[in-house]
């Protein structure tokens, strides 16, 4: 495990040590992947966006001033690129859920129980996709990433009070959707 | 307390991060507000459902292969990105020269084509019309100039008199660029196309010479008529 701080790695990268950037990617790739995947749903598209996030970070890192933490900064890139993709999808009317996206750990659950879980997962995905953009990103960062509201506020550049209200309404809407559909 | 005021606290209440003091406030409100109670119940159910669904999978070795793939993408983009090859100070130094070159090109084009006062008036009216999203002005302008049509007619006439009609079609396919631009230079392009077009192998060299000569003759005549 590399013990250098993010700022140390960024400093080394700015001095020309390319390896330092690899370390930053390794440190945040999983978290960034899951944020994007929650927002985008599809693995292949998420993979494409994750690569773009780090490519963008690579080029912008040279001018990174350290006003916010690296991970807040890179999360912001990830959320913005994911939302761009969602908007692009809406424009092209390709908003669909692919059955093949759902691959679960093989377990010993009864086939009917498994099917029920998969159906529930599908419904949750649909419910999340139906959320307004702002509520969607707040929900993903709060529920799945378990980030504190203060951190989400830095990433999304918004107030904590507003975020809490957004999160509340997001979960309420997901609940209403599930109740209606189940 | 009003429902709108309690909402941020309800978020913390439902995810268990609320302070003891705020919890009392929320529970006091819930005891007297049926609507908020229903919301909290709904949220609790939603969170239970969310927790009951297993994590989705990621392909095996996905994360171990991500860094090399990001590096590959960076390299691919670097190859197509001149900005990453030319140092920033060179780019900055050349920027004013590039801007000057663009301006000089426009001035040169202006003198080369020597636009008439009428055309300038037409062009400015088009610009104004296009700013108002009136696209018909552009097509009207093209039609009024009649340049492309003049050129196509000239070539068609020469080709029809020189050979069989099927060559006309084939030639037009090849010389669409020259025909559409319709200036004297394009006629020369068309002339060289004719001599290199394999479909003209069936013509005798005299016939080819005749076609080229007539095209050149026409282009000289057209130079007087064509004003851009």
């Amino acid at each position: 495990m590399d013990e250098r701080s993010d700022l140390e790695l960024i400093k080394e990268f700015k001095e020309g040590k390319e390896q330092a950037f690899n370390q930053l990617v390794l440190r945040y790739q999983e978290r960034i992947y899951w944020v994007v995947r929650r927002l985008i749903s599809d693995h292949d598209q998420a993979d494409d966006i994750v690569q773009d996030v780090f490519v963008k970070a690579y080029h912008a890192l040279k001018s990174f001033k350290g006003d916010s933490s690296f991970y807040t900064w890179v999360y912001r890139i990830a959320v913005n690129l994911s939302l761009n993709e969602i908007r692009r999808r809406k424009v092209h009317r390709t908003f669909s859920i692919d059955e093949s996206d759902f691959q679960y750990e093989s377990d010993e659950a009864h086939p009917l129980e498994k099917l029920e879980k998969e159906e529930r997962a599908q419904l949750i995905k649909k419910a999340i996709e139906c959320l307004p953009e702002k509520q969607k990103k707040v929900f993903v960062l709060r529920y799945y990433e378990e980030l504190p509201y203060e951190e989400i506020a830095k990433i999304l550049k918004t107030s904590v009070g507003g975020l809490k209200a957004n999160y509340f309404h997001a979960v309420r809407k997901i609940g209403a959707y599930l109740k209606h559909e189940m | 307390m009003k429902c709108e005021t309690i909402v941020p606290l309800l978020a913390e209440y439902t995810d268990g991060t609320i302070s003891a003091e705020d919890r009392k406030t929320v529970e006091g409100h819930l005891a007297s507000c049926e609507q908020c109670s229903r919301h909290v119940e709904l949220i609790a159910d939603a969170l239970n459902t969310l927790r009951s669904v297993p994590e989705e999978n990621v392909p095996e070795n996905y994360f171990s292969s991500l860094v090399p793939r990001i590096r590959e993408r960076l390299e691919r983009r670097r190859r197509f990105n001149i900005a990453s090859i030319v140092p920033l100070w060179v780019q900055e130094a050349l920027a004013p020269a590039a801007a000057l070159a663009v301006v000089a090109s426009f001035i040169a084009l202006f003198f080369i084509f020597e636009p008439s006062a009428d055309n300038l008036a037409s062009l400015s009216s088009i610009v104004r019309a296009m700013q108002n999203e009136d696209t018909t002005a552009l097509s009207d302008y093209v039609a009024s100039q009649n340049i492309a049509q003049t050129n196509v007619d000239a070539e068609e006439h020469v080709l029809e008199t020189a050979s069989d009609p099927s060559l006309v079609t084939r030639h037009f396919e090849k010389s669409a660029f020259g025909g559409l631009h319709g200036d004297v230079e394009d006629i020369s392009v068309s002339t060289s196309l004719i001599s290199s077009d394999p479909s003209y192998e069936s013509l005798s060299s005299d016939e080819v010479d005749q076609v080229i000569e007539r095209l050149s003759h026409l282009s000289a005549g057209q130079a007087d008529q064509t004003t851009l």
Side-chain angles (χ1 to χ4, degrees):
Chain A
M1 179 71 187
D2 197 305
E3 288 181 353
R4 285 171 292 178
S5 71
D6 289 353
L7 281 177
E8 283 172 323
L9 288 169
I10 291 165
K11 187 169 173 279
E12 286 181 22
F13 173 69
K14 284 181 175 177
E15 288 166 359
K17 290 179 186 164
E18 288 285 315
Q19 192 60 29
F21 180 74
N22 294 357
Q23 281 303 321
L24 286 167
V25 176
L26 287 170
R27 190 169 287 178
Y28 291 106
Q29 59 181 12
E30 280 200 45
R31 291 165 76 174
I32 293 298
Y33 170 81
W34 282 113
V35 171
V36 175
R37 176 79 184 266
R38 301 289 182 206
L39 288 165
I40 292 294
S41 298
D42 175 66
H43 166 75
D44 291 332
Q45 285 184 333
D47 170 47
D48 192 47
I49 291 169
V50 170
Q51 289 188 55
D52 270 349
V53 168
F54 285 109
V55 165
K56 202 166 181 165
Y58 179 92
H59 291 301
L61 205 50
K62 284 157 191 160
S63 55
F64 179 74
K65 291 185 180 75
D67 296 335
S68 58
S69 66
F70 174 75
Y71 97 94
T72 302
W73 182 72
V74 84
Y75 259 67
R76 194 179 299 143
I77 299 175
V79 170
N80 287 339
L81 290 186
S82 303
L83 292 181
N84 286 349
E85 172 61 22
I86 290 168
R87 286 182 200 130
R88 194 190 62 79
R89 274 193 209 171
K90 278 181 185 165
V91 169
H92 292 279
R93 303 273 175 218
T94 57
F95 212 65
S96 65
I97 293 184
D98 188 349
E99 299 282 342
S100 62
D101 291 347
F102 292 87
Q103 294 170 358
Y104 298 104
E105 302 275 4
S106 61
D107 52 31
E108 298 303 314
H110 188 276
L112 273 179
E113 196 182 315
K114 204 176 161 186
L115 191 69
E116 199 179 290
K117 276 185 181 177
E118 286 180 13
E119 279 175 359
R120 243 179 294 158
Q122 284 252 33
L123 279 178
I124 289 170
K125 257 187 176 183
K126 277 186 184 173
I128 296 170
E129 283 182 354
C130 288
L131 291 175
E133 264 181 21
K134 192 161 188 188
Q135 289 176 16
K136 189 188 294 180
K137 55 191 181 184
V138 172
F139 175 75
V140 167
L141 293 172
R142 177 67 195 145
Y143 180 77
Y144 289 112
E145 296 306 305
E146 297 178 345
L147 292 178
Y149 288 111
E150 289 72 20
E151 203 56 57
I152 301 172
K154 283 183 200 165
I155 293 167
L156 303 180
K157 293 183 174 174
T158 187
S159 73
V160 171
L163 285 178
K164 286 178 181 172
N166 274 310
Y167 178 72
F168 174 80
H169 289 302
V171 186
R172 186 179 56 77
K173 281 181 190 171
I174 291 170
Y177 185 92
L178 295 176
K179 196 174 177 183
H180 182 259
E181 297 292 323
M182 285 172 84
Chain B
M1 190 178 266
K2 283 185 179 175
C3 297
E4 303 90 67
T5 323
I6 207 94
V7 159
L9 292 179
L10 287 179
E12 291 180 337
Y13 181 76
T14 49
D15 66 14
T17 56
I18 197 163
S19 67
E21 193 186 335
D22 287 341
R23 177 181 290 274
K24 270 185 200 168
T25 312
V26 168
E27 286 174 350
H29 177 81
L30 291 178
S32 60
C33 179
E34 202 184 322
Q35 196 186 19
C36 284
S37 299
R38 273 206 309 272
H39 285 161
V40 168
E41 204 177 307
L42 195 66
I43 285 172
D45 286 346
L47 291 173
N48 280 336
T49 310
L50 281 162
R51 286 185 203 111
S52 71
V53 172
E55 283 288 303
E56 288 175 60
N57 267 356
V58 183
E60 210 179 331
N61 300 329
Y62 172 70
F63 290 114
S64 59
S65 69
L66 193 53
V67 170
R69 288 188 305 118
I70 289 168
R71 284 284 170 192
E72 199 182 309
R73 187 171 285 202
L74 276 166
E75 186 53 40
R76 215 166 41 238
R77 291 193 184 170
R78 202 195 317 262
R79 267 188 244 129
F80 294 103
N81 186 5
I82 190 78
S84 65
I85 299 167
V86 181
L88 192 62
W89 67 269
V90 177
Q91 292 174 43
E92 284 170 355
L94 289 178
L100 200 64
V102 171
V103 174
S105 305
F106 276 112
I107 294 170
L109 283 170
F110 185 86
F111 282 108
I112 288 168
F113 291 112
E114 292 179 27
S116 67
D118 286 349
N119 282 336
L120 274 180
S122 306
L123 281 168
S124 59
S125 66
I126 285 166
V127 171
R128 279 200 302 277
M130 285 181 81
Q131 280 168 344
N132 295 325
E133 299 185 354
D134 179 6
T135 51
T136 53
L138 184 62
S139 51
D140 288 350
Y141 173 76
V142 171
S144 71
Q145 297 306 299
N146 203 28
I147 295 160
Q149 195 54 46
T150 307
N151 194 3
V152 170
D153 287 345
E155 287 185 35
E156 191 173 16
H157 174 70
V158 172
L159 291 167
E160 274 177 343
T161 55
S163 188
D164 70 274
S166 65
L167 294 178
V168 177
T169 317
R170 284 206 287 275
H171 178 69
F172 278 163
E173 284 167 6
K174 281 197 80 171
S175 64
F177 178 82
L180 284 173
H181 281 72
D183 58 17
V184 176
E185 246 181 45
D186 291 332
I187 292 282
S188 315
V189 171
S190 301
T191 310
S192 64
L193 271 171
I194 286 171
S195 51
S196 62
D197 192 331
S199 61
Y200 282 82
E201 279 173 12
S202 58
L203 300 177
S204 70
S205 59
D206 283 345
E207 281 176 309
V208 171
D209 286 343
Q210 196 187 358
V211 171
I212 292 171
E213 193 188 345
R214 292 193 65 177
L215 265 177
S216 306
H217 186 69
L218 271 172
S219 70
Q222 201 177 34
D224 299 330
Q225 301 165 17
T226 309
T227 311
L228 281 173

